[in-house]
Amino acid sequence: MKYDFDQVIDRSKNRAAKYDERIKKFGTNDVIPLWVADMDFRTAQPIIDACHRKAEEGIWGYTSRPDSYFEAVRGWEKRRNQWDVDPSLMSWSLGVVPALSAIVKVFTQEGDKVMIQTPVYSEFYDVTEAWGRQVVENRLVEKDGVWSIDFEAFEQQAREVKVFLLCNPHNPLGIVWKPEELKRMAEICIANDVLLVSDEIHSDLIFNGKKHTPTATLSEEIGASIITCVSATKTFNLAGIQASTTIFPNQELKKQFDRFWMNMDIHRNNAFSSVVMEAAYNEGEEWLEQLLEYLAGNFKLIKEYCEQYIPKIKPNIPDATYLVWLDCRDLHMNNEELRRFMIEKAKLGLNEGNTFGRSLSGYMRLNAACPRSVLEKALEQLRAAVDSLG
């Protein structure tokens, strides 16, 4: 079927955090919300149909997880990424971030160090510091708008950390890491007895002819040393469903992770996530292919509009994710001035760049997963705000 991504949907009665939490986040409702990473699109019809069928049953008691659940994950990874994963090494979790948090808790001790590559998804800080662990920043290096790994620093820092949280593909920079980059990072981790945890939640959202490489597929040795976190929630706009899959290299690590959740009696899907995730993996590809084409059009609009009308703002068009990293340094504002400018002048709700890297100044993150008419309005507001500066 043909999906209409141009449809503007009123989410005011949707209990959507992206809209309902604007006052909490920005101090006003008068902003176009282009911040938290969910999409303003209805999901694939087979997923909606699966929800309807489950709702009509009228009984939503304790929910079992049939073998078909993890087989759906296995089939998806095999079709999309040529990765044949053993379902017996998969664990369910409430989401990728809760899984990362549990991994830090279970496999490190208080005071241990955890390495992240900044600028990166801000929850990487949170899941480390919440348990009394120390963040070590392997800062990505920017040159002419291109970001790369400082391998010299990476190798040095790997000697002192217990865990490395890898964002593959990278949020917010939209980088699809090359196999040789992943291999080098993984081999450094193995040499230093560092547990590598690969967050691959954005792995289905790939553009510009790039291809996602699951870190665990690089070699047999590397695959035996990596925990991978995946989910269909980002792909199909299902974050509120709360479900993810954590893939382990062996049963011992899996048992330790599972024990953590069992101790809190959290080990079952809810009644709807059980069927929704299967429907997404088994029947969602038609919708996804159309989504990717639409998002690519949104990226093209942002790039061309900024080049023509707002040259002081330089968007880093992503090869992955639906998130655009904006270089606003030519506005010559500090982080608080830039935040106020976006809220009060441009009337846009964006994510501040310094939440992704605490030493950064002059960046914002924009969520481009919205109807094109909304994005056009946002760009027009941004242009008018920048023009008003003289």
Side-chain angles (χ1 to χ4, degrees):
M1 65 180 289
K2 175 66 176 173
Y3 289 96
D4 181 10
F5 296 101
D6 283 320
Q7 180 186 8
V8 178
I9 298 168
D10 179 7
R11 298 186 67 187
S12 64
K13 296 180 176 63
N14 186 222
R15 300 191 182 186
K18 186 176 183 181
Y19 287 77
D20 294 352
E21 294 179 10
R22 282 179 290 182
I23 289 180
K24 177 182 176 182
K25 174 73 175 174
F26 306 107
T28 177
N29 278 322
D30 190 22
V31 292
I32 298 175
L34 302 174
W35 60 296
V36 67
D38 72 7
M39 299 186 270
D40 289 332
F41 308 129
R42 284 169 61 88
T43 193
Q45 192 60 44
I47 299 173
I48 296 170
D49 293 343
C51 268
H52 283 165
R53 289 192 295 270
K54 193 64 185 174
E56 287 168 0
E57 289 177 7
I59 302 175
W60 309 299
Y62 294 119
T63 303
S64 67
R65 187 181 307 113
D67 291 344
S68 58
Y69 183 87
F70 286 135
E71 284 294 342
V73 181
R74 180 186 191 180
W76 182 267
E77 289 295 336
K78 195 171 183 179
R79 291 193 308 276
R80 304 291 295 191
N81 299 314
Q82 293 72 59
W83 184 21
D84 192 5
V85 189
D86 180 355
S88 72
L89 293 174
M90 298 180 189
S91 291
W92 170 85
S93 185
L94 288 165
V96 166
V97 173
L100 293 173
S101 181
I103 288 166
V104 170
K105 168 66 173 174
V106 171
F107 299 111
T108 65
Q109 301 296 318
E110 191 166 349
D112 282 348
K113 295 179 179 179
V114 174
M115 183 162 63
I116 65 176
Q117 289 178 309
T118 56
V120 75
Y121 186 47
S122 59
E123 275 75 356
F124 277 27
Y125 285 105
D126 299 340
V127 301
T128 301
E129 294 172 339
W131 299 114
R133 282 53 166 170
Q134 299 180 52
V135 169
V136 172
E137 294 186 25
N138 176 243
R139 296 176 185 173
L140 299 173
V141 179
E142 184 267 336
K143 184 178 181 182
D144 299 326
V146 177
W147 296 77
S148 60
I149 300 165
D150 183 344
F151 275 107
E152 185 178 344
F154 187 97
E155 211 159 351
Q156 192 171 24
Q157 290 165 319
R159 297 175 192 146
E160 59 175 317
V161 304
K162 294 291 185 182
V163 169
F164 167 44
L165 300 181
L166 169 65
C167 201
N168 174 35
H170 190 277
N171 167 19
L173 300 178
I175 298 169
V176 176
W177 297 115
K178 298 174 184 175
E180 55 268 30
E181 294 170 321
L182 293 169
K183 190 169 187 288
R184 189 173 175 187
M185 288 188 284
E187 288 176 344
I188 291 170
C189 287
I190 291 170
N192 290 277
D193 197 26
V194 175
L195 177 63
L196 196 162
V197 184
S198 190
D199 171 2
E200 303 191 4
I201 195 170
H202 290 280
S203 59
D204 302 319
L205 302 162
I206 308 289
F207 307 90
N208 306 321
K210 297 297 176 71
K211 186 180 186 325
H212 171 68
T213 302
T215 314
T217 65
L218 292 165
S219 72
E220 189 172 336
E221 181 188 24
I222 290 170
S225 309
I226 287 176
I227 299 174
T228 305
C229 301
V230 298
S231 179
T233 55
K234 201 66 67 178
T235 309
F236 293 100
N237 207 25
L238 303 170
I241 288 294
Q242 294 190 306
S244 73
T245 300
T246 309
I247 302 169
F248 292 89
N250 57 60
Q251 287 293 336
E252 181 52 38
L253 292 181
K254 174 178 160 57
K255 285 177 183 176
Q256 292 180 61
F257 178 86
D258 290 346
R259 190 180 306 121
F260 173 85
W261 292 108
M262 287 294 293
N263 287 345
M264 294 187 290
D265 197 31
I266 299 174
H267 54 94
R268 291 187 179 95
N269 290 74
N270 70 55
F272 287 88
S273 74
S274 174
V275 297
V276 163
M277 297 298 279
E278 278 195 57
Y281 283 125
N282 291 333
E283 304 176 76
E285 281 176 281
E286 180 183 44
W287 180 90
L288 175 58
E289 293 306 321
Q290 293 180 42
L291 169 75
L292 294 175
E293 183 179 351
Y294 191 86
L295 290 174
N298 278 3
F299 297 152
K300 183 173 184 286
L301 169 65
I302 293 169
K303 180 178 185 293
E304 292 178 352
Y305 193 98
C306 287
E307 286 176 349
Q308 184 171 358
Y309 299 113
I310 327 174
K312 287 185 177 180
I313 293 181
K314 298 173 178 62
N316 184 37
I317 301 305
D319 288 329
T321 81
Y322 46 74
L323 307 163
V324 178
W325 188 243
L326 301 177
D327 182 347
C328 308
R329 289 176 293 176
D330 284 349
L331 297 181
H332 304 294
M333 298 179 183
N334 63 37
N335 287 324
E336 181 55 30
E337 289 168 342
L338 183 60
R339 178 181 182 276
R340 290 203 312 269
F341 171 79
M342 290 297 180
I343 296 170
E344 297 170 8
K345 300 296 184 183
K347 297 191 181 302
L348 299 179
L350 309 180
N351 290 100
E352 299 91 23
N354 62 309
T355 63
F356 300 91
R358 292 170 180 170
S359 62
L360 291 174
S361 181
Y363 295 94
M364 303 292 285
R365 191 190 76 173
L366 180 149
N367 179 348
C370 61
R372 200 152 298 150
S373 60
V374 175
L375 187 58
E376 288 169 347
K377 186 173 188 295
L379 290 169
E380 288 165 5
Q381 290 177 194
L382 182 56
R383 175 188 180 183
V386 173
D387 286 349
S388 73
L389 297 173

